[in-house]
Amino acid sequence: GHLDPVQLVPVFTRVGLRPPVVRMIGDLVPIEPRYEDELRAALAVGPEDGSLYWLEPGGIFFEDMFSERTQVSVRDFRSAFTDPLAYQQFKAIHTANMEFFDYLPKFCRDFLGVPVEEAFLFSVDRAGFSLFALRDGTDDKWREYRFPFQAEVRKYEGFVQILTAMKGEVHAAEEKIAIESNPKKAHKSKQS
């Protein structure tokens, strides 16, 4: 796993948590010659770039945020499929934490009813995304908040569209509150 932005590293360290990660052990096995040409073409590497190997898994472990380790059977691992957003997860996390950073706490407030001071997106998959956020009014109470998607999202662009729509809903809610709290000022600004 990776952490983006880097500000999240000390946060996880301070509260004694780590990002979820899968750890694998096994043997490196040379690629069979009959598959080598096809694989080299797909990877755009030539023989001068070195030998090709694949990992034959011998042991697989999942570690959650609390460092609890669960063994995953090789059979289950081989039958699993890759989440469609996995290949674009780094880009999605980076985009959320850079372009939508100021809105992540507002998403917790407006969509979950939870006031938070600071929030970072650290995980996204086809079913939703997870924020790690500091609960408002607490010194060090960080927690994970999950935002499920209404429909499966298979592409980075779809993820960005959802965040953009959520941002729009936050803007609309803030405008409505501003109008309700000061109707005369809102009325004057509409006339200008």
Side-chain angles (χ1 to χ4, degrees), residues 129-183:
F129 64 90
S130 295
L131 299 181
F132 195 58
L134 176 62
R135 189 91 188 238
D136 200 17
T138 65
D139 289 337
D140 216 13
K141 190 168 183 175
W142 289 86
R143 179 171 171 197
E144 176 183 356
Y145 296 97
R146 180 75 176 168
F147 291 78
F149 297 139
Q150 290 180 351
E152 186 176 279
V153 175
R154 304 181 65 82
K155 294 184 178 180
Y156 164 80
E157 294 79 12
F159 169 70
V160 173
Q161 286 176 344
I162 288 173
L163 290 186
T164 302
M166 290 174 74
K167 180 179 171 180
E169 289 183 42
V170 166
H171 273 297
E174 288 175 341
E175 286 178 7
K176 182 178 178 187
I177 290 170
I179 291 169
E180 290 172 354
S181 66
N182 197 349

Side-chain angles (χ1 to χ4, degrees), residues 6-83:
V6 293
Q7 298 96 318
L8 202 48
V9 175
V11 171
F12 270 106
T13 304
R14 188 172 67 239
V15 297
L17 300 176
R18 292 191 294 177
V21 67
V22 174
R23 301 192 186 278
M24 296 176 59
I25 57 173
D27 297 317
L28 287 177
V29 179
I31 296 292
E32 293 181 30
R34 62 185 169 152
Y35 300 119
E36 190 169 346
D37 290 339
E38 182 181 344
L39 189 56
R40 284 189 184 281
L43 297 172
V45 297
E48 68 280 0
D49 294 315
S51 300
L52 296 178
Y53 294 86
W54 65 286
L55 179 69
E56 175 62 45
I60 304 157
F61 300 92
F62 172 74
E63 289 183 25
D64 66 16
M65 290 175 60
F66 305 102
S67 299
E68 301 233 355
R69 185 181 284 187
T70 305
Q71 186 164 3
V72 177
S73 75
V74 174
R75 180 177 157 214
D76 287 347
F77 177 78
R78 287 192 174 146
S79 66
F81 69 95
T82 303
D83 189 279

